[in-house]
Amino acid sequence: MTLGKWISIGVGLITTLLVGGVLVAAPNQLVATIGSTALGTWVTAGVMGALLGLLHWIVMSKFDREVGRVASQIDLLSKDDDREVAIPSRLGMGSIARAVNQVITTFRQRIRQLTSRRRELEIQLRIAEVEQRHAASILNTISDAVIVTDPFNELAMINDAAARVLHLDASFARRRPIEQVIDDTVIVKLIKDAREGVAARPGFRRQIEHRFNREGVDQIYDVSVSGISDGLGEDELSAGTAKPNGQDAVGVVTVLRNVTRERQIADMKSDFVSSVSHELRTPLSSIKAYVEMLVDGEAHDEQTRLEFYNIIQGETNRLSRLIDNILNISRIESGVVRASREQVSLPTLMREAIDVMLPQARSKGIELKDLSAPGYFHVFADKDMIYQATLNLVSNAIKYTPEGGTVTVKIRADELARGVEVSVADTGVGIPPDDVPRLFAKFYRVDNHKRMAQGTGLGLNLVKQIIETVHGGKVSVSSELGKGSTFTYTLPLADGN
């Protein structure tokens, strides 16, 4: 039973008591008019109270039903039900019902708008996540290091190459201030300065060269920083997106490209051109000087003219050898040379080289020995190239061995490594330990050796290129200052040995 019904019953009882009391206390004339006994009085009062209570119960029941309808209409809001409940305009509830219906309808429209907006944002978020993953995948395919920072100098994106260069964890570093995750103060300052520069002057771009020292090794990087638009429209800005320092928000893209190898190659080219120019100038200067003396008639007799001719011929041969060596090394390094491989008997090749160099050795009183182990040692190689490499080693040994010394050639098999080893040992002046690591470099010559014999500094480099680059072998040297040197090269044995 509802509260309204209890109130109706209470009103009826109270009305009965009040009416009965009034009748009892009324003048006798009124009592006589209504009835002659007290029973009639109470019956009359009871009937009137019951009628009033019934009327009140009916009214309250209708009021309860209309309130219930309004409550159910309000309950529909939580259920997102589009049905509308029409409430009759009785007991003054019609205006309340219309107001409730209007509020509910407004809220439903707003909820539908917000729901639609939420779905759009969810779709945009999924698209943005896909695009971000796609952009990250593209960045990771780039060999150069790429760093993207946002308008607040926080790390927005970074590829794997940049993470390796800067030694940081990419997943941890994202959305953190760059000064907290990048330990290179130069890069941090460059990015911050670039962001401020782009904000002040659109299109700002800066490029520097920066050195990183990683594990004791210097790496040279070309660092380029460029500004990017934040992509915020007026709607986003009006929604409360702040601009740092009151300026247009911009981000910065930083690209670090490793140019260490390029710089090394450039330096090598510069050194090569300088060395070649020097080496070419020396014999050309001698040739020019003696030709001028011949033209000027300074050679008055046949003996002098013959001496001049011999010098010119010697310098011309030296110049020819220099050019040939330069061309051969260049061809090998560029991969142009194609080795004409065949079965080569190293003992036979060694005897040919010794026979060619024997007159030079005898002219200096040097003993040229062949102490090769007996056997048939064959390699699958370019005979002319191996012959040239062997000839260079024997020639150098004779050149830097004083008179009365010994040059020994040996061939032995290394069965374990399936290779054949050729060594050329001398009893010459030896090589200082500090010079050994640079001995096979282009145009490098030991200072003490320059006074002993002429040379271009290309012979040993050519040997290394022929043995290691073309034939996949190995060249090594061992030396003791004042006691001599031993140059050794190893080649794979040919099948069937």
Side-chain angles (χ1 to χ4, degrees):
M1 185 177 293
T2 63
L3 179 62
K5 294 178 180 180
W6 281 110
I7 293 175
S8 299
I9 295 173
V11 169
L13 292 175
I14 293 171
T15 303
T16 301
L17 293 175
L18 289 176
V19 172
V22 169
L23 291 176
V24 171
N28 292 333
Q29 293 83 358
L30 181 60
V31 174
T33 303
I34 296 173
S36 58
T37 63
L39 180 61
T41 301
W42 286 107
V43 169
T44 302
V47 171
M48 293 179 66
L51 291 174
L52 289 174
L54 178 62
L55 179 63
H56 189 271
W57 181 81
I58 292 171
V59 172
M60 291 304 296
S61 295
K62 291 181 176 295
F63 183 80
D64 285 345
R65 283 195 297 274
E66 292 196 12
V67 169
R69 290 175 182 175
V70 174
S72 64
Q73 182 78 348
I74 295 174
D75 187 56
L76 292 177
L77 176 63
S78 63
K79 298 178 180 179
D80 197 21
D81 196 333
D82 289 336
R83 292 175 300 168
E84 293 187 3
V85 178
I87 301 176
S89 180
R90 294 174 297 195
L91 300 177
M93 294 299 295
S95 59
I96 297 176
R98 286 190 295 274
V100 170
N101 277 330
Q102 184 176 0
V103 171
I104 291 175
T105 301
T106 302
F107 271 105
R108 282 175 178 165
Q109 292 175 352
R110 184 60 178 163
I111 288 173
R112 282 193 290 268
Q113 292 174 356
L114 292 176
T115 301
S116 176
R117 180 59 177 165
R118 184 196 66 189
R119 290 171 181 168
E120 291 177 0
L121 291 176
E122 288 176 349
I123 294 173
Q124 292 176 5
L125 178 61
R126 286 195 291 269
I127 293 174
E129 290 175 347
V130 172
E131 290 178 346
Q132 184 178 23
R133 288 194 295 270
H134 183 60
S137 299
I138 293 175
L139 284 182
N140 286 329
T141 62
I142 301 174
S143 59
D144 294 337
V146 181
I147 305 168
V148 182
T149 53
D150 64 13
F152 302 96
N153 290 326
E154 294 178 351
L155 197 63
M157 297 184 73
I158 182 172
N159 66 351
D160 293 341
R164 288 193 298 269
V165 171
L166 300 174
H167 289 186
L168 54 84
D169 182 353
S171 59
F172 170 79
R174 286 191 181 92
R175 296 304 170 191
R176 292 181 180 271
I178 55 175
E179 62 269 14
Q180 294 182 8
V181 294
I182 300 178
D183 61 359
D184 193 295
T185 56
V186 174
I187 298 298
V188 171
K189 186 176 185 304
L190 185 65
I191 294 174
K192 289 184 176 181
D193 291 347
R195 196 202 66 77
E196 295 174 1
V198 174
R201 178 166 59 88
F204 179 87
R205 179 184 176 88
R206 189 178 177 190
Q207 190 169 358
I208 68 168
E209 190 173 278
H210 182 54
R211 290 179 179 268
F212 289 92
N213 188 282
R214 299 304 184 199
E215 299 177 356
V217 178
D218 274 346
Q219 297 288 319
I220 306 173
Y221 280 82
D222 181 75
V223 183
S224 174
V225 290
S226 305
I228 55 173
S229 172
D230 60 357
L232 294 178
E234 294 298 327
D235 294 341
E236 289 85 349
L237 293 176
S238 61
T241 303
K243 295 183 178 181
N245 303 325
Q247 300 174 339
D248 289 338
V250 292
V252 174
V253 175
T254 305
V255 180
L256 299 91
R257 186 169 63 89
N258 193 333
V259 295
T260 306
R261 183 59 180 164
E262 294 178 13
R263 293 293 181 271
Q264 291 174 346
I265 292 174
D267 293 341
M268 290 170 61
K269 287 181 178 178
S270 178
D271 293 341
F272 179 78
V273 171
S274 176
S275 299
V276 167
S277 300
H278 174 74
E279 293 297 334
L280 290 175
R281 187 180 294 112
T282 302
L284 282 175
S285 298
S286 297
I287 294 171
K288 180 181 178 182
Y290 283 98
V291 168
E292 288 178 352
M293 285 190 289
L294 288 172
V295 172
D296 293 340
E298 295 185 19
H300 301 291
D301 54 77
E302 188 63 28
Q303 182 64 32
T304 304
R305 284 193 295 272
L306 182 61
E307 181 182 348
F308 285 5
Y309 293 150
N310 288 334
I311 293 174
I312 293 172
Q313 184 182 35
E315 292 299 319
T316 304
N317 291 335
R318 177 185 174 190
L319 185 60
S320 178
R321 288 195 302 271
L322 174 62
I323 294 173
D324 287 342
N325 287 339
I326 292 173
L327 291 176
N328 288 333
I329 292 173
S330 177
R331 291 191 186 104
I332 293 173
E333 288 181 336
S334 62
V336 174
V337 170
R338 294 292 181 265
S340 180
R341 298 178 184 270
E342 58 180 314
Q343 291 277 354
V344 178
S345 170
L346 282 181
T348 302
L349 184 143
M350 197 60 59
R351 283 193 296 271
E352 292 177 1
I354 291 174
D355 290 341
V356 170
M357 298 308 301
L358 195 56
Q360 183 179 337
R362 287 175 177 170
S363 66
K364 292 185 64 175
I366 295 174
E367 184 181 4
L368 191 54
K369 297 181 180 180
D370 183 2
L371 300 181
S372 302
Y376 296 95
F377 305 110
H378 287 78
V379 294
F380 192 64
D382 188 301
K383 181 179 179 180
D384 292 337
M385 288 188 179
I386 299 300
Y387 175 78
Q388 184 177 7
T390 305
L391 206 63
N392 282 356
L393 293 180
V394 176
S395 176
N396 275 357
I398 296 173
K399 188 184 299 184
Y400 297 109
T401 299
E403 292 184 7
T406 304
V407 174
T408 305
V409 178
K410 292 182 181 179
I411 303 176
R412 72 176 187 88
D414 186 351
E415 297 293 345
L416 185 62
R418 291 293 300 161
V420 58
E421 181 182 279
V422 177
S423 63
V424 179
D426 62 60
T427 57
V429 294
I431 303 166
D434 294 340
D435 292 306
V436 172
R438 297 186 293 171
L439 203 58
F440 293 96
K442 294 188 189 76
F443 299 107
Y444 183 78
R445 297 190 66 200
V446 179
D447 289 336
N448 295 336
H449 292 180
K450 293 178 182 179
R451 295 189 297 269
M452 296 184 63
Q454 292 182 341
T456 62
L458 291 175
L460 290 179
N461 182 265
L462 184 58
V463 171
K464 188 177 182 68
Q465 295 287 352
I466 290 173
I467 299 301
E468 295 189 354
T469 306
V470 178
H471 292 89
K474 181 68 177 176
V475 179
S476 61
V477 59
S478 61
S479 182
E480 187 175 352
L481 195 60
K483 294 186 177 181
S485 307
T486 301
F487 287 83
T488 305
Y489 68 80
T490 306
L491 294 172
L493 278 169
D495 293 338
N497 281 270

